[in-house]
């Protein structure tokens, strides 16, 4: 073995130490590059995850929008089924995101009350479910961070590198910030269902990597793997929510189209009915308006409505846009038609009011003239009754007209019962005249005439004669037996003695005070030849004109 000189061995040792140092430095540089690359991959994965999170939140927002859009038709079975499926998809998506360590700030759709939700109810539900804005917390992965390894030769990323959301280790400052955030949050605003979870990018290990505070490539790669796995989970959740929202939107559009078809059919039917009625109504207003222009306008609007109805009835029902267009045009035509008919009604009914005012004035004149005739006829009738009373001042004698039978034995149906005194019957002329006298007494005193006796049968006259031999007439001769005499109480007898001659009733001379047989209660009817009052015929009055727009009045016209 050759021996080297001291100087040679010294040189060799120096060379060996130098090579070792160079190798050690090279190894350290390679490790740093590997770590930096792994951190970059993790940051890229975090940025992609943040994009996916945003996309999922937007998708959840869109899902809520689809639910709101379905509010009017949510009770229809296919829409309800699609809404239920979307609700389940949103809940599954948020749960899947939570299991992957991703917190989304939009709550899932509550499936409990889908069938009962109207648009307003859904808005209120979303207002309660929507997450309040985070308090000073962001997921900004684009902010620059301090890197522990610098390599002049490496290619810098095109986007700024992300900064950590929180520090890796909670300290007193973090606790104070968290307390401040909790104090500032609106207690009435609910958070997401996953708000109790820790966001993946806020976990200590991941946050260390994203902050560039690790020198372990393996730790950085593990963080990148977890972030990528979470992104893949969000992809699945996003697809499910998008698919559910799309299915609900499709079902909503189809259901809305069906509803539009129902509205169109109803509008066509309504337009046809209105047109059929309006044709008759417009014709009925001819010559019965203050202005002819509304008739022409109504006819023009009617033509437009009928044309719109005919076109709408033939529309291609498989083209939603055309159906909506035809419905809008028909509704517009209906609005124009309704306005035109309202204008026609106004001018027609104003004409009706003026015409009826004229008719009323003419009828009032006829009534006034008739009342004057009636007053004169009553005066003539009263005078005729007074003349008859004067001619028979000593009372009635003989058989009156209109009765059958003998005194006290008259046929029951040849007498008339008094309405104001049930059970009392008289010769029919006498009964009618006493009814008129009673009406006058009632108008003056507010009471009915009070009768104590009227028609008296033969047998009753026999008993009365036995009881009152000095005042009762011999049976078969009493005017009570002819139904021509009545006995009254004192007030009634007093009034009729004073006013009775106008109605053909009076005290016979023998019954008056100072007569041969005074009977203040006994009065007789003495004017059978005059008879009951017959008023002049009422005039023929003009009938009021009726509105062509009132079916009830039209049917009575």
């Amino acid at each position: 073995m050759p021996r080297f000189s001291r100087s040679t061995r010294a040189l060799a040792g120096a060379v060996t130490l130098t090579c070792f140092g160079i190798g050690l430095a090279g190894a350290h540089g390679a490790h740093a590059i590997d770590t930096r690359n792994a951190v970059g991959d993790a940051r890229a994965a975090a940025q992609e995850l943040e994009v996916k999170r945003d996309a999922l939140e937007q998708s959840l927002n869109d899902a809520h929008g689809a639910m709101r859009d379905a509010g009017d038709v949510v009770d229809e079975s296919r829409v309800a089924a699609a809404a239920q499926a979307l609700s389940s998809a949103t809940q599954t998506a948020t749960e899947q995101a939570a299991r992957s360590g991703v917190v989304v700030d939009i709550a899932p759709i509550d499936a409990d009350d889908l069938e009962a939700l109207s648009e307003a109810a859904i808005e209120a539900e979303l207002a309660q479910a929507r997450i309040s804005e985070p308090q000073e917390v962001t997921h900004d992965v684009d902010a620059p961070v301090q890197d522990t390894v610098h390599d002049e030769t490496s290619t810098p990323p095109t986007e700024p590198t992300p900064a950590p959301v929180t520090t890796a280790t909670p300290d007193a400052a973090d606790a104070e910030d968290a307390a401040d955030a909790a104090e500032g949050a609106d207690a009435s605003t609910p958070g997401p269902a996953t708000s109790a979870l820790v966001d993946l990018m806020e976990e200590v290990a991941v946050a260390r990597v994203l902050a560039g505070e690790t020198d372990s490539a393996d730790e950085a790669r593990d963080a990148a793997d977890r972030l990528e796995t979470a992104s893949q989970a969000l992809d699945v959740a996003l697809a499910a929510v998008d698919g559910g929202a799309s299915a609900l939107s499709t079902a909503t559009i189809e259901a809305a189209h069906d509803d539009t078809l129902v509205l169109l059919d109803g509008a066509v039917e309504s337009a046809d009915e209105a047109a059929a009625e309006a044709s008759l109504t417009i014709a009925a207003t001819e010559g019965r308006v203050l202005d002819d222009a509304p008739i022409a306008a109504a006819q023009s609007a009617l033509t437009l409505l009928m044309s719109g109805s005919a076109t709408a009835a033939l529309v291609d029902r498989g083209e939603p846009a055309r159906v909506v267009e035809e419905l809008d045009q028909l509704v517009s035509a209906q609005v124009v038609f309704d306005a035109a008919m309202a204008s026609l009604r106004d001018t027609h009914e104003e004409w009706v009011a003026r015409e009826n005012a004229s008719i009323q004035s003419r009828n009032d004149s006829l009534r006034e003239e008739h009342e004057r005739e009636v007053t004169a006829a009553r005066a003539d009738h009263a005078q005729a009754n007074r003349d008859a009373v004067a001619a028979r001042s000593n009372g009635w004698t003989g058989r009156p007209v209109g009765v059958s039978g003998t005194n006290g034995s008259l046929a029951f149906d040849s007498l008339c019962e008094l309405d104001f005194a049930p059970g009392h019957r008289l010769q029919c002329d006498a009964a009618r005249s006493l009814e008129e006298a009673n009406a006058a007494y009632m108008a003056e005193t507010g009471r009915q005439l009070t009768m104590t006796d009227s028609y008296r049968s033969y047998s009753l006259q026999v008993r009365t004669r036995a009881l009152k031999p000095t005042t009762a007439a011999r049976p078969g001769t009493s005017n009570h037996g002819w139904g021509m005499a009545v006995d009254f109480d004192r007030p009634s007898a007093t009034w009729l003695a004073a006013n009775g001659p106008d109605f053909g009733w009076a005290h016979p001379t023998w019954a008056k005070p100072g007569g041969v047989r005074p009977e203040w209660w006994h009065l007789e009817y003495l004017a059978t030849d005059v008879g009951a009052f017959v008023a002049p015929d009422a005039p023929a009055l003009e009938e009021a004109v009726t509105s062509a727009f009132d079916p009830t009045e039209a049917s009575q016209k």
Side-chain angles (χ1 to χ4, degrees):
M1 178 176 197
R3 293 180 62 86
F4 297 99
S5 64
R6 181 182 298 270
S7 59
T8 301
R9 287 197 304 273
L11 177 60
V15 170
T16 298
L17 290 174
T18 299
C19 290
F20 178 76
I22 292 174
L24 183 61
H28 177 73
H31 176 74
I33 292 172
D34 188 23
T35 300
R36 184 177 65 249
N37 290 339
V39 169
D41 291 341
R43 288 173 174 167
Q47 190 171 9
E48 181 180 1
L49 179 60
E50 195 63 23
V51 171
K52 299 292 178 60
R53 184 210 307 272
D54 291 343
L56 180 57
E57 289 181 348
Q58 183 60 51
S59 182
L60 289 169
N61 260 330
D62 293 344
H64 284 294
M67 193 67 70
R68 287 192 296 273
D69 292 342
D72 291 340
V73 292
V74 74
D75 288 337
E76 297 197 17
S77 57
R78 56 186 162 178
V79 179
Q84 182 63 54
L86 178 57
S87 174
S88 298
T90 62
Q91 294 180 53
T92 300
T94 54
E95 291 168 1
Q96 192 169 8
R99 285 195 299 270
S100 300
V102 178
V103 177
V104 292
D105 287 346
I106 303 296
I109 296 170
D110 185 357
D112 293 338
D113 301 315
L114 289 178
E115 293 185 358
L117 288 178
S118 64
E119 182 175 349
I122 293 175
E123 287 289 352
E125 196 74 11
L126 293 178
Q128 293 297 318
R130 189 170 300 280
I131 309 305
S132 60
E133 291 296 325
Q135 301 295 318
E136 299 299 325
V137 176
T138 63
H139 299 288
D140 185 5
V141 298
D142 295 332
V145 299
Q146 296 296 323
D147 196 341
T148 57
V149 181
H150 301 278
D151 186 0
E152 296 289 341
T153 61
S154 62
T155 303
T158 57
E159 296 291 336
T161 54
V165 176
T166 65
T167 57
T169 305
D171 54 19
D174 293 332
E176 185 176 346
D177 290 343
D180 291 343
E183 258 183 27
D186 184 358
S188 66
T189 305
T194 57
S195 60
L197 300 175
V198 177
D199 193 275
L200 176 60
M201 288 189 289
E202 295 178 0
E203 289 186 10
V204 173
V206 177
R208 279 171 48 82
V209 172
L210 297 180
E213 296 176 356
T214 182
D215 58 1
S216 171
D218 290 338
E219 184 179 25
R221 280 190 287 270
D222 180 65
D225 290 342
R226 293 182 63 192
L227 292 168
E228 290 171 357
T229 299
S231 289
Q232 294 169 2
L234 292 193
D235 283 338
V236 175
L238 179 62
V241 174
D242 284 346
S246 176
L248 177 58
S249 295
T250 298
T252 299
I253 291 171
E254 292 175 351
H257 178 58
D258 290 345
D259 285 354
T260 303
L261 289 175
V262 172
L263 292 175
L264 181 67
D265 292 341
V268 169
E269 181 178 359
S270 177
D272 291 345
E273 291 176 355
E277 181 179 345
S279 296
L280 299 175
T281 302
I282 294 173
T285 62
E286 293 285 349
R288 304 175 74 206
V289 291
L290 299 179
D291 180 7
D292 289 335
I295 294 181
Q299 189 61 59
S300 176
L302 174 60
T303 301
L304 178 65
L305 181 66
M306 295 173 64
S307 174
S309 176
T311 302
L314 299 175
V315 69
D316 186 344
R317 301 170 71 87
E319 295 186 15
R322 287 288 299 144
V323 171
V324 170
E325 181 182 352
E326 290 299 331
L327 176 59
D328 288 344
Q329 291 179 358
L330 182 55
V331 169
S332 296
Q334 184 75 54
V335 170
V336 172
F337 169 79
D338 290 343
M341 292 300 290
S343 178
L344 176 58
R345 180 170 190 156
D346 288 344
T347 186
H348 169 64
E349 293 189 345
E350 187 175 353
W351 176 89
V352 169
R354 294 189 183 186
E355 186 67 15
N356 281 336
S358 297
I359 291 173
Q360 181 68 35
S361 178
R362 293 192 292 272
N363 285 343
D364 288 344
S365 296
L366 292 173
R367 290 190 187 95
E368 291 170 1
E369 177 62 26
H370 179 250
E371 288 175 2
R372 287 192 291 271
E373 292 174 356
V374 170
T375 299
R378 283 192 179 279
D380 292 345
H381 184 259
Q383 184 61 51
N385 281 325
R386 288 192 294 271
D387 292 345
V389 167
R392 298 184 176 91
S393 60
N394 204 38
W396 178 260
T397 57
R399 175 195 295 272
V401 297
V403 297
S404 59
T406 59
N407 188 298
S409 300
L410 299 179
F412 184 81
D413 59 0
S414 68
L415 300 174
C416 292
E417 186 173 15
L418 294 163
D419 292 338
F420 72 92
H424 289 280
R425 302 180 74 83
L426 292 173
Q427 186 266 357
C428 290
D429 288 334
R432 283 192 291 268
S433 180
L434 194 57
E435 291 280 6
E436 292 183 9
N438 179 70
Y441 182 71
M442 170 66 77
E444 184 176 323
T445 68
R447 299 187 302 275
Q448 308 273 13
L449 292 170
T450 300
M451 302 170 57
T452 59
D453 207 356
S454 55
Y455 168 72
R456 189 181 296 161
S457 68
Y458 188 89
S459 60
L460 182 57
Q461 185 67 30
V462 170
R463 290 195 299 272
T464 302
R465 172 78 173 183
L467 293 173
K468 302 176 181 180
T470 59
T471 57
R474 189 176 69 253
T477 64
S478 172
N479 280 333
H480 282 288
W482 290 120
M484 298 289 283
V486 175
D487 293 343
F488 295 94
D489 69 356
R490 176 75 74 174
S492 300
T494 299
W495 185 90
L496 197 60
N499 299 279
D502 288 347
F503 303 95
W505 287 83
H507 277 306
T509 301
W510 58 262
K512 290 180 179 180
V516 296
R517 206 166 60 247
E519 294 182 8
W520 57 261
W521 60 86
H522 181 90
L523 287 96
E524 295 181 1
Y525 181 63
L526 306 173
T528 56
D529 51 340
V530 176
F533 173 73
V534 178
D537 291 338
L541 301 177
E542 294 182 67
E543 292 186 6
V545 296
T546 57
S547 170
F549 287 84
D550 191 326
T552 303
E553 289 186 357
S555 64
Q556 295 173 347
K557 186 177 177 181

